[in-house]
Amino acid sequence: MFVDRIKVFAQAGSGGRGSVSFRREKFVPKGGPDGGDGGRGGDVILVAERHVDNLSNLFYEPIIKAKGGGHGMGKKMAGRSGADKIVKVPVGTIVWEAEEGKRRTSNIEHPTPNEEPENIDNRQLKIENLAIVDLVRDGQEFVLCRGGAGGKGNVHFKSSRNRAPRQYTEGEEGEQGHFLLELRTIADAALVGYPNAGKSTLLRKISAARPKVAPYPFTTLHPIIGVVDFSEYRRGTIADIPGLIEGAHRGLGLGHEFLRHITRCRALLFVLDIAGSEGRNPVEDLQQLRREIDLYDPLLSKRPWFVIANKMDLPNANENLKTLRKRFPKIDIVAVSAAKNEGIDALKQQLETWLQ
Ligand SMILES: Nc1nc2c(ncn2[C@@H]2O[C@H](COP(=O)(O)OP(=O)(O)OP(=O)(O)O)[C@@H](O)[C@H]2O)c(=O)[nH]1
Ligand SMILES: [Mg+2]
């Protein structure tokens, strides 16, 4: 299962209560207060990990809780600290507060995991302003909810006037809240095209990634990243995403939800079935794809873009390629046959310059 958007409830541990205790020992009458402090509650910590590729672990565990601190004890012994709860998330995870103003309150509500949050339109969300954090680096950590401090034991309340204090404090409550976690894949470029254009076949040829390839539309259901090795240890990352069709912005096909995964790409690589083997016209395909991207996010369609004309081994490919070049004279177009492994080395060289 691939989960790239999920609502969770997180709660850090509360601090332990301070202890009320008095020293009792032979030959030490009225030994005085010796109640220790409570331990602090554990934090809920998110860690971005390169090897985690989606948020499915949270689908099974949408309620994340860290342990509370232990209560203080006699003989000035402090309670143990609550263990932190560490949650691994993929690199590229953005965290939003799912219910504004509900963080850090003490009334524990029943979480409603997996419910699609309303009125969060990700295109309008300015990551920089509204997100709590954007975990973009491997190993990056973020304390989502901080554990509460431990309470004070009665040893702190001794004074000249009160030598046998019975006061103590409760531990602080841990922070808690509902959060929306969303994965926006991080890759240098994305392969954008109609279903069956050969995007996955292509990714298999240029990288070690092994996305499924099949002669029916919508084979690819979620993004897959391939690493392309260029010369001299240089490499680039390419995302293979599901096929896009006309009307995707209205929810046709798989819709355009998955396009969030290309919002961080520096370049878009449009993959065309240049032979028009399914009865479509590649020039129109390209225009339509550009239009869908623009409808999704006008800023995205302003990114650098290039064309990979695939299926050059089939009839009509050459003619169509000429027409396409005439129609888009300023755009870099590389012709390949992914299935026949033709033009792949040249494409890799181009990729290196495109992604510089
Ligand atoms: N003749 C020919 N067929 C190709 C070529 N590249 C891919 N195909 C075939 O086209 C079909 C679809 O290929 P995929 O790589 O699954 O296409 P896709 O763009 O990833 O499709 P979706 O994941 O459904 O969007 C498969 O049957 C491939 O074998 C090519 O260069 N020439
Ligand atoms: Mg595919």
Side-chain angles (χ1 to χ4, degrees), residues 73-317:
M73 290 159 289
K75 296 186 183 159
K76 296 184 189 171
M77 282 193 293
R80 51 162 180 73
S81 303
D84 294 336
K85 174 74 182 179
I86 293 174
V87 180
K88 291 178 183 174
V89 297
V91 177
T93 299
I94 303 174
V95 182
W96 282 286
E97 224 156 302
E99 285 169 31
E100 223 177 299
K102 288 270 171 70
R103 199 178 179 199
R104 272 150 248 220
T105 52
S106 52
N107 295 345
I108 300 169
E109 285 167 41
H110 287 292
T112 48
N114 306 338
E115 179 191 86
E116 257 304 293
E118 306 113 359
N119 59 39
I120 290 187
D121 182 343
N122 51 33
R123 280 160 299 151
Q124 272 150 36
L125 280 175
K126 292 259 178 336
I127 297 179
E128 308 77 34
N129 298 336
L130 292 173
I132 300 173
V133 70
D134 187 5
L135 295 160
V136 293
R137 275 181 296 105
D138 184 31
Q140 192 178 343
E141 288 190 12
F142 178 72
V143 178
L144 186 62
C145 292
R146 204 165 279 287
K152 287 191 172 15
N154 65 342
V155 59
H156 296 281
F157 295 95
K158 188 165 116 179
S159 68
S160 53
R161 295 173 60 203
N162 186 357
R163 285 162 192 274
R166 302 201 65 84
Q167 289 119 295
Y168 69 97
T169 58
E170 293 287 341
E172 258 175 33
E173 255 180 75
E175 291 177 344
Q176 65 176 59
H178 295 267
F179 302 95
L180 176 71
L181 276 67
E182 184 180 273
L183 171 61
R184 293 192 189 176
T185 300
I186 297 179
D188 295 318
L191 302 174
V192 181
Y194 268 78
N196 280 346
K199 302 177 291 299
S200 302
T201 312
L202 203 56
L203 191 71
R204 291 171 78 104
K205 294 289 149 101
I206 59 177
S207 76
R210 287 289 167 267
K212 190 175 164 193
V213 167
Y216 52 79
F218 306 116
T219 307
T220 303
L221 296 173
H222 59 78
I224 292 165
I225 309 281
V227 179
V228 185
D229 287 314
F230 299 133
S231 50
E232 293 162 29
Y233 308 106
R234 288 197 54 225
R235 36 180 40 189
T237 46
I238 310 283
D240 174 25
I241 62 164
L244 196 61
I245 59 170
E246 179 178 354
H249 67 279
R250 285 185 276 123
L252 294 187
L254 296 181
H256 65 195
E257 269 283 288
F258 59 80
L259 286 180
R260 80 168 67 98
H261 292 288
I262 66 174
T263 53
R264 305 203 207 233
C265 291
R266 280 184 285 134
L268 303 184
L269 311 175
F270 290 96
V271 181
L272 302 177
D273 170 355
I274 195 69
S277 65
E278 295 186 350
R280 283 193 318 267
N281 175 330
V283 173
E284 282 168 19
D285 280 2
L286 180 57
Q287 288 166 331
Q288 196 56 48
L289 290 166
R290 300 271 315 140
R291 208 169 300 144
E292 286 297 334
I293 296 287
D294 192 54
L295 284 166
Y296 176 73
D297 182 352
L299 289 176
L300 198 54
S301 68
K302 293 201 176 65
R303 301 261 168 95
W305 60 280
F306 310 99
V307 174
I308 301 172
N310 188 31
K311 308 204 181 183
M312 283 302 292
D313 56 296
L314 295 180
N316 304 328

